[in-house]
Amino acid sequence: DAKTTQPTSMDCAEGRAANLPCNHSTISGNEYVYWYRQIHSQGPQYIIHGLKNNETNEMASLIITEDRKSSTLILPHATLRDTAVYYCIVKGNTPLVFGKGTRLSVIA
Amino acid sequence: GAVVSQHPSWVICKSGTSVKIECRSLDFQATTMFWYRQFPKQSLMLMATSNEGSKATYEQGVEKDKFLINHASLTLSTLTVTSAHPEDSSFYICSARDRPKKGTGSYEQYFGPGTRLTVT
């Protein structure tokens, strides 16, 4: 059963911020929000994860709403190399289960 | 970040033969490894979870006698596709789990680059 809902696809202009939304209204208290991406014909790449506080690393920022029912992944300055399928996954102590993700196309 | 390697990156085999795919965690010990399969234009599907030194746990619908998994050490897991058929052609991806971070219940899964299997 899908635990997250993401738009099927999004476009973003190169150099602009890409904001990828994710709904996870049934998230449990001990489940984390993870984001991975998959560039064509490669293995998934870890981006970021969080529990309830906003998180930032060298790749992206993760904004989680106070009720934890949704989150947004922010790529601050998208480049053509960020074109990929982005997966939002909620998990506890279980393996990652992938949904369909959002296909982000960064356009020059 | 941690590195997971897979070998081979691609393989072509004849129907009825067996193919072995290796997955290694290069700079960390992975007590748990996962095997996924991805068909074209679809998402990754979890096939099985393997713990070092014990039998793998297979997801529903995955034949354990066809997809043999061995996790003999903390850095190596192998997937053998036995008696391969054209419908087994797919992108096979392994993942290794790091130890949980102190004070949290979270851990990260790192993925290998994948192995593209084509059965003719």
Side-chain angles (χ1 to χ4, degrees):
Chain A
D1 291 341
K3 285 188 166 185
T4 64
T5 304
Q6 298 178 252
T8 302
S9 63
M10 293 180 65
D11 291 339
C12 177
E14 189 179 20
R16 304 296 294 269
N19 297 287
L20 291 88
C22 179
N23 286 324
H24 32 79
S25 58
T26 60
I27 190 170
S28 301
N30 62 345
E31 288 182 319
Y32 288 74
V33 180
Y34 282 78
W35 283 84
Y36 281 76
R37 72 180 182 183
Q38 186 179 27
I39 296 169
H40 183 63
S41 294
Q42 297 182 24
Q45 177 188 22
Y46 166 81
I47 301 173
I48 198 166
H49 77 283
L51 183 63
K52 54 184 178 181
N53 297 322
N54 297 338
E55 302 287 344
T56 295
N57 62 21
E58 64 278 3
M59 288 184 68
S61 294
L62 173 60
I63 309 298
I64 302 174
T65 57
E66 195 169 338
D67 63 8
R68 302 212 318 130
K69 292 185 177 183
S70 66
S71 61
T72 301
L73 177 75
I74 301 172
L75 307 179
H77 306 286
T79 70
L80 298 178
R81 287 177 294 180
D82 292 322
T83 292
V85 178
Y86 288 76
Y87 297 97
C88 168
I89 304 168
V90 296
K91 72 180 283 301
N93 190 26
T94 54
L96 288 166
V97 175
F98 289 79
K100 296 183 178 179
T102 295
R103 181 172 296 280
L104 175 69
S105 298
V106 180
I107 302 166
Chain B
V3 178
V4 176
S5 70
Q6 276 184 247
H7 178 79
S9 56
W10 61 270
V11 57
I12 301 172
C13 72
K14 292 187 176 179
S15 188
T17 62
S18 296
V19 173
K20 180 185 284 188
I21 302 170
E22 290 187 351
C23 175
R24 294 180 186 273
S25 57
L26 296 186
D27 50 1
F28 67 100
Q29 294 184 329
T31 55
T32 305
M33 288 186 172
F34 309 92
W35 287 95
Y36 292 80
R37 180 168 55 181
Q38 186 175 33
F39 292 109
K41 299 190 186 300
Q42 295 186 22
S43 188
L44 285 79
M45 184 190 78
L46 179 65
M47 297 176 67
T49 300
S50 75
N51 292 298
E52 185 263 339
S54 63
K55 289 185 178 179
T57 303
Y58 291 81
E59 296 299 303
Q60 193 171 10
V62 178
E63 300 174 58
K64 62 179 181 181
D65 294 330
K66 180 170 184 62
F67 299 98
L68 302 179
I69 293 172
N70 183 281
H71 192 163
S73 77
L74 287 172
T75 59
L76 173 65
S77 176
T78 60
L79 168 68
T80 301
V81 183
T82 63
S83 187
H85 291 287
E87 56 265 31
D88 298 323
S89 298
S90 188
F91 192 49
Y92 291 86
I93 307 167
C94 76
S95 176
R97 193 183 96 169
D98 203 345
R99 298 182 188 280
K101 297 192 187 316
K102 256 188 181 179
T104 77
S106 71
Y107 59 84
E108 293 169 20
Q109 271 184 239
Y110 300 96
F111 287 82
T115 296
R116 186 160 303 281
L117 170 64
T118 302
V119 185
T120 61

